Structure formats: C-alpha cells, structure tokens
Amino acid sequence: MKLLVVEDEDGLRETIVSFLEEEGYQCEQATRLNVALNKVSDYEYDCVLVDIGLPDGSGLQLISEIKRIAPTTGVLVLSARNSLDDKVAGLELGADDYLAKPFHLAELNARIKSILRRVKYDGKIEVNIERLRILPESRQVFFDNEAVALTKKEFDLLAFFAANSNRVLTKESIAEHLWGDFADAADTFDFVYSQIKNLRRKLLEKTGVDYFKNVYGIGYMFQTGKG
C-alpha cells in the first residue's frame, strides 16, 4: 500500500518511514503543507499521515483537500498529546482516525491497517475473489488453500487490482501506485508490462483463470466473476 507521511520533525518522520517501509509499505514524504498539497493533487495514496502543525500552514487544510479530490483515501491525524481541538477538527473534516504523539510504532501500524481495511476492503481482513483468497495484512495469497508465491511488487499489484476489480486502471496509475514519484522518470511502461505479465502467468498457472483484460491504449482491467 502507498502512504504519504506529512511530518516536519525530521527524526520522527524518518523513523516512521523506515519502520513502515520495513513493514512492506511504499512511503513518500512531505515536510511542508504546499509540498503535500501538490503531492495529493498529482498522485494517489491509500493513506496519508498528517501532522497538523506544519511550518507553512495547518494540516487541516490538507485533510480538507484530500477529502475533496480523493474521498476514499484514508487519513490518520498525528497530533500533539493535548491538542483536542485539532483532533476534533480533523475528524469533522473526514479524517479516519488520530494518534497522539508520542506513540508506539506498532500502534501506528495497527491504526493504518484498520483504516486500510475500512477504506479499501470494506472492513474485511481478507479479500475473496472466487477461489482466490488475499490477505492484505500478512501479504499472502491462496487458491483453494494452496499458497500462491508472489514477489512484493506482484502482491502490491494484485492488491491494487483487487481493490479496483472490474475497473479500468491506466498504465500511469499502475506505475504510480507501484513506484511513486520514480515512475515520472520512466521513459516507457515496460516495467508495468513485465510485472503484469509475471502476475498474470502465475495466477493463470495456479487458477486456470485469466483475470486480466487488456484495454487497448489505456491499461488493464481485473475481471472478477469469471471462475
């Protein structure tokens, strides 16, 4: 899952990002409101961690903008221990949860997982697509209780498609979801084709079902209700 960490305290932000990347998340960072606003305008995120007190403005403005342009994006407010007004204001603007500083990283991870379950998978711990069973938190996939071995990027790709079943996803959105800002530097989408080809082959070998449909000139659709 792709996260944006908006926090101006360098030590805390670096600690959060390092921990979350070890947990398997793809993380991008912002230390100022204007940078964060540009990022949420240009890119899609599964969840945004928002510090309210930023050097150039209030994180509340960022929450409002996120919920305006991408209402299904999860938002977790990181607030000072005694800032009740900020917590209430954030929740009223549509934030999904808040966490008071200082906090344990394990609790942060649990809060993020809870938000992602609600906003991406309707609160479900696992996602079932016919005989496929996807467990986002443990990053496992099963077909009829037999494990399907996927790389990290292949799992990220499958989870992205599963959360957007029967919707056309552009090559650009797939690249951005998997590689974030680095996708902008790519000259071609060969890396997208390669990842989808490998995932498609593994699922076809295991399930006998080709879930992927090429949408010429646009991207791909993950079709369900086929097996």
Side-chain angles (χ1 to χ4, degrees), residues 97 135 151:
D97 201 353
L135 284 68
T151 66

PDB file of all heavy atoms in Angstrom, residues 97 135 151:
ATOM      1  N   ASP A  97      -8.967   8.623  11.636  1.00  0.00           N
ATOM      2  CA  ASP A  97      -8.502   8.298  12.990  1.00  0.00           C
ATOM      3  C   ASP A  97      -7.433   9.316  13.371  1.00  0.00           C
ATOM      4  O   ASP A  97      -6.965  10.099  12.544  1.00  0.00           O
ATOM      5  CB  ASP A  97      -7.910   6.885  13.011  1.00  0.00           C
ATOM      6  CG  ASP A  97      -7.871   6.272  14.412  1.00  0.00           C
ATOM      7  OD1 ASP A  97      -8.189   6.991  15.386  1.00  0.00           O
ATOM      8  OD2 ASP A  97      -7.524   5.093  14.522  1.00  0.00           O
ATOM      9  N   LEU A 135      -4.884 -11.917   1.616  1.00  0.00           N
ATOM     10  CA  LEU A 135      -4.759 -11.409   2.980  1.00  0.00           C
ATOM     11  C   LEU A 135      -3.822 -10.204   2.949  1.00  0.00           C
ATOM     12  O   LEU A 135      -2.590 -10.365   2.981  1.00  0.00           O
ATOM     13  CB  LEU A 135      -4.206 -12.482   3.922  1.00  0.00           C
ATOM     14  CG  LEU A 135      -5.182 -13.588   4.373  1.00  0.00           C
ATOM     15  CD1 LEU A 135      -5.563 -14.488   3.211  1.00  0.00           C
ATOM     16  CD2 LEU A 135      -4.576 -14.426   5.487  1.00  0.00           C
ATOM     17  N   THR A 151       6.114 -12.132  -5.662  1.00  0.00           N
ATOM     18  CA  THR A 151       7.095 -11.167  -5.193  1.00  0.00           C
ATOM     19  C   THR A 151       6.357 -10.005  -4.529  1.00  0.00           C
ATOM     20  O   THR A 151       5.126  -9.893  -4.629  1.00  0.00           O
ATOM     21  CB  THR A 151       7.938 -10.621  -6.349  1.00  0.00           C
ATOM     22  OG1 THR A 151       7.087  -9.861  -7.221  1.00  0.00           O
ATOM     23  CG2 THR A 151       8.590 -11.756  -7.132  1.00  0.00           C
TER      24      THR A 151
END
